[in-house]
Amino acid sequence: MSKRIVASDHARRNLMKTLRCWMPFLVWGREVNRHSLVADLLAGLTGAIVVLPQGVAYAMIAGLPPEFGLYTAIIVPIITGLFGSSRHMVSGPAAAISIVVLSVVSNIVPQGIEAYIPAVLTLTLLAGLFQFGFGLARMGMLVNFISHTVVIGFTAGAAILIASSQFKHVLGLSIPAGKPFYADWEFMLGHLQDFNGYSLSIALVTIGSTLLIKKMSRKVPAMLFGMIMGSLFCWLLNGVSQGVPMVGELSGQLPAFILPDLSVGTLSAMLPGALAIAILGLVEAVAIARAIAIHSGQRIDGNQEFIGQGLSNVVGSFFSCYMSSGSFTRSGVNYDAGAKTPLAVMFAALIVVLILLFAPQVTAFLPLPAMAGAIMLIAWNLIDVRHIREILHSSKQEASILLVTFMSTLIVALEFSIYLGVLMSLIFYLKRTSTPKMMEVAPKSIDQGTDLRSVQRFQLPECPQLKIIRIDGSLFFGAVDHIQKNLIRFSEENHGRNHILINCTGINFIDYAGAEMLLKEARYLQEKGFTLSFCALKNTVKDELAALNFLAKLGEENFYATVDDALSTLVPRLNPDICKQCQQRVFKQCP
């Protein structure tokens, strides 16, 4: 009977552990108290004030009505708060994601027609399914394949595109839609004489006011203040009568249930873009969650974050939400405002609901040039000048990845620029791993025993009969040709050394092609009168060789646990006559 009780108790604990893993709110929900509720409510109020102008602005970047940004700021944070791993990250509309949504969808469905919104929801649904699938498959390490350089180059290019898309509102020009960014610039430069001075002045007042208040105080929501000042300035100028367009009143309705376009043609056309935007959204979200966690001390589960982001986009796609991700600005504000649990973002979402229901006219008097000015500031903040400068001066490879990603963002479809940046990163990585360093090493001194160092760097003497080579890299199919050529070169430049010892401390794995190459070279060197030995091979790598049935073929007697073991066996086998002629002891095992 007692065994049954123990087994039942064990099963119950495992069930609760699984539920807490899949439903993080069961963990932080138990920590909610009066103090945390007050802190979360105040943080939520601050977050709602910040997201109000951002949500409207980002929706406009994506080519959607302004209320869609607020819908996304309502539904998405609630889902990610319940199922994501971060307690402080705020998800919702984001600038870089918004411009990718516009780029992907407008290439399939022209912006402005009735089918555009269902197509956006289709893209969001597919991207969410990709993200959720990655989370279920425990592919949290997927984001590691998107280098920081690719993200910096992409966001810088996206910033240029975002800023270019707002020139028509800032200058009051009717720039044709659907053209590349350079066509917008060409049109703008050719029609500068037609610009609306009232629109330009309103945008400049908005930009100036935002920068001024940001410099004076970080606690005041600078963007909201700038938009208010731009609106007041427009009212003073009587801008409406001067042809200045307004954003217009919000719908005053809660997010409605809308089915995405699930036709086969739309689904297949959206797939490539959905995968790219899903990966980009995950990279942004996980990077932001980890950055906040450094300050909060919380541990982030990348796989759970994938699930939270995926669920929020899948659910949101049926309730008038478009593709979302984490927001660094709103997440930082949320943490600085003292948020304790994800209830803070839920309070912010509820406050936005109240604004939609009872104050939908908040945007009725907001001029489009003021909104455009705020968006241009958002675009400028996307350009990470400091890191771009460091990358350009630190590494030619990283600089080339940055420039290619940046230029492709401007020239080709945005989703393909992400693929291109990732592809270049992988190519450079494979190039580096396929050419592991093969270094001639020797003991630094007799006193230090077998402290092997580079012969070339430290100008160390070598044994006239035994050459030691250290391989710093793994032996896989991509590195076989490089290692083979260098082994042949070392044997041809042997200068009387007919014993080669490979120091394997830097080898982390060996695949079938690598093992076959070692066997082939061992036999080739044996025919030339050489012996090939190995030392300090990791046990896990040795097990791989044994599993591939190459350990016996290479001869277990040719493998030594340490450098000392190898030298203690090999040095006595050297020609004693040559040893007598040697001017100095290279190894402590020398006679």
Side-chain angles (χ1 to χ4, degrees):
M1 185 71 179
S2 59
K3 289 184 179 180
R4 290 182 180 179
I5 294 173
V6 170
S8 175
D9 189 53
H10 182 69
R12 184 179 61 82
R13 284 199 299 267
N14 284 338
L15 176 62
M16 290 304 297
K17 185 178 179 181
T18 303
L19 288 175
R20 291 191 187 103
C21 179
W22 288 94
M23 302 177 182
F25 58 87
L26 294 177
V27 178
W28 59 259
R30 299 172 64 182
E31 302 172 10
V32 174
N33 52 44
R34 183 178 178 182
H35 173 71
S36 68
L37 275 174
V38 173
D40 288 340
L41 180 60
L42 293 175
L45 178 61
T46 306
I49 294 172
V50 173
V51 78
L52 186 62
Q54 284 193 350
V56 173
Y58 294 156
M60 290 181 62
I61 292 174
L64 294 166
E67 57 266 23
F68 275 70
L70 300 184
Y71 293 160
T72 307
I74 293 170
I75 302 294
V76 168
I78 293 175
I79 304 298
T80 53
L82 291 172
F83 295 97
S85 69
S86 176
R87 297 193 179 190
H88 298 99
M89 186 183 71
V90 180
S91 293
I97 297 290
S98 298
I99 192 67
V100 180
V101 168
L102 175 65
S103 173
V104 172
V105 179
S106 60
N107 286 332
I108 301 166
V109 180
Q111 181 187 352
I113 69 172
E114 187 178 350
Y116 182 81
I117 291 176
V120 169
L121 301 180
T122 302
L123 177 70
T124 305
L125 173 63
L126 289 175
L129 289 173
F130 276 126
Q131 292 177 331
F132 186 68
F134 292 151
L136 291 180
R138 317 301 289 173
M139 295 177 66
M141 75 296 203
L142 183 70
V143 296
N144 297 328
F145 289 96
I146 315 292
S147 72
H148 188 53
T149 303
V150 171
V151 176
I152 289 175
F154 172 79
T155 51
I160 302 296
L161 295 177
I162 291 170
S164 300
S165 69
Q166 298 306 307
F167 281 133
K168 59 185 177 183
H169 302 308
V170 170
L171 299 175
L173 297 175
S174 299
I175 300 177
K179 300 290 184 181
F181 92 100
Y182 47 83
D184 292 347
W185 280 74
E186 184 180 0
F187 183 92
M188 178 192 68
L189 294 174
H191 294 78
L192 278 178
Q193 68 278 7
D194 301 326
F195 80 96
N196 187 324
Y198 292 92
S199 294
L200 179 60
S201 61
I202 292 169
L204 292 176
V205 167
T206 303
I207 293 172
S209 302
T210 304
L211 293 176
L212 180 64
I213 199 65
K214 186 179 289 186
K215 189 174 182 181
M216 292 174 61
S217 173
R218 290 191 173 273
K219 294 184 178 180
V220 178
M223 185 181 297
L224 183 62
F225 178 82
M227 288 184 182
I228 291 173
M229 295 305 295
S231 300
L232 287 174
F233 188 69
C234 177
W235 177 73
L236 290 173
L237 294 178
N238 195 14
V240 176
S241 64
Q242 304 297 331
V244 176
M246 312 300 282
V247 172
E249 188 173 322
L250 297 173
S251 65
Q253 299 175 348
L254 292 178
F257 180 83
I258 301 178
L259 273 177
D261 183 355
L262 300 178
S263 63
V264 176
T266 303
L267 288 172
S268 60
M270 292 289 181
L271 275 176
L275 177 59
I277 201 171
I279 294 172
L280 178 64
L282 292 177
V283 170
E284 281 196 357
V286 174
I288 292 167
R290 287 175 178 170
I292 299 295
I294 291 173
H295 300 282
S296 66
Q298 185 197 350
R299 295 183 64 181
I300 300 299
D301 182 348
N303 293 311
Q304 189 61 41
E305 205 58 58
F306 279 25
I307 290 172
Q309 292 294 320
L311 274 177
S312 66
N313 284 310
V314 169
V315 174
S317 67
F318 292 96
F319 291 94
S320 306
C321 302
Y322 75 99
M323 182 65 193
S324 64
S325 183
S327 166
F328 191 84
T329 302
R330 298 196 297 278
S331 300
V333 167
N334 188 48
Y335 178 72
D336 290 339
K340 302 299 180 185
T341 71
L343 277 177
V345 298
M346 298 179 193
F347 282 137
L350 292 175
I351 294 169
V352 173
V353 167
L354 295 176
I355 293 172
L356 266 176
L357 290 177
F358 300 107
Q361 65 276 12
V362 291
T363 57
F365 305 102
L366 177 62
L368 272 177
M371 179 62 70
I375 291 174
M376 294 190 82
L377 278 179
I378 292 170
W380 170 253
N381 290 329
L382 285 176
I383 303 175
D384 194 339
V385 178
R386 182 174 66 86
H387 280 109
I388 289 174
R389 188 183 295 115
E390 289 176 357
I391 291 170
L392 292 176
H393 288 89
S394 62
S395 167
K396 290 183 178 179
Q397 286 189 359
E398 291 296 314
S400 62
I401 293 172
L402 174 74
L403 293 173
V404 167
T405 307
F406 173 74
M407 294 304 298
S408 62
T409 302
L410 301 178
I411 297 170
V412 302
L414 284 178
E415 64 271 26
F416 294 112
S417 67
I418 299 171
Y419 292 141
L420 186 59
V422 173
L423 181 62
M424 280 199 66
S425 297
L426 291 176
I427 287 173
F428 281 124
Y429 170 75
L430 290 174
K431 182 181 178 183
R432 184 173 181 177
T433 55
S434 65
T435 55
K437 289 183 179 179
M438 297 184 65
M439 190 182 301
E440 299 174 69
V441 294
K444 194 173 182 180
S445 70
I446 294 294
D447 296 334
Q448 292 178 313
T450 50
D451 180 20
L452 303 179
R453 299 298 179 91
S454 169
V455 171
Q456 185 177 4
R457 172 172 290 187
F458 294 96
Q459 298 296 307
L460 300 176
E462 290 186 272
C463 174
Q465 300 184 72
L466 173 62
K467 178 181 284 292
I468 306 177
I469 302 167
R470 189 179 75 210
I471 300 178
D472 292 334
S474 297
L475 274 65
F476 71 109
F477 64 93
V480 162
D481 186 60
H482 173 77
I483 294 172
Q484 189 174 30
K485 287 179 180 178
N486 277 280
L487 283 176
I488 293 173
R489 178 174 63 83
F490 284 133
S491 65
E492 291 175 349
E493 299 172 356
N494 64 84
H495 303 296
R497 299 184 186 93
N498 57 359
H499 296 274
I500 296 178
L501 174 64
I502 296 180
N503 183 359
C504 304
T505 53
I507 299 175
N508 292 317
F509 72 88
I510 298 177
D511 68 0
Y512 187 88
E516 193 172 39
M517 179 273 297
L518 286 181
L519 179 61
K520 181 179 178 182
E521 288 310 303
R523 290 173 176 173
Y524 170 80
L525 292 171
Q526 189 176 11
E527 291 175 0
K528 296 290 184 179
F530 292 86
T531 62
L532 182 63
S533 305
F534 309 88
C535 69
L537 185 67
K538 294 179 175 70
N539 288 330
T540 53
V541 183
K542 197 171 182 179
D543 292 341
E544 289 173 357
L545 275 178
L548 294 169
N549 200 29
F550 277 93
L551 190 61
K553 293 178 181 178
L554 287 164
E556 289 193 49
E557 68 279 2
N558 294 319
F559 288 84
Y560 303 93
T562 65
V563 179
D564 277 323
D565 289 346
L567 294 177
S568 298
T569 303
L570 295 176
V571 170
R573 296 178 184 176
L574 301 179
N575 190 329
D577 295 331
I578 299 177
C579 287
K580 289 178 182 179
Q581 299 173 11
C582 187
Q583 299 296 318
Q584 58 184 330
R585 292 177 65 195
V586 176
F587 310 118
K588 63 181 180 181
Q589 291 86 354
C590 289

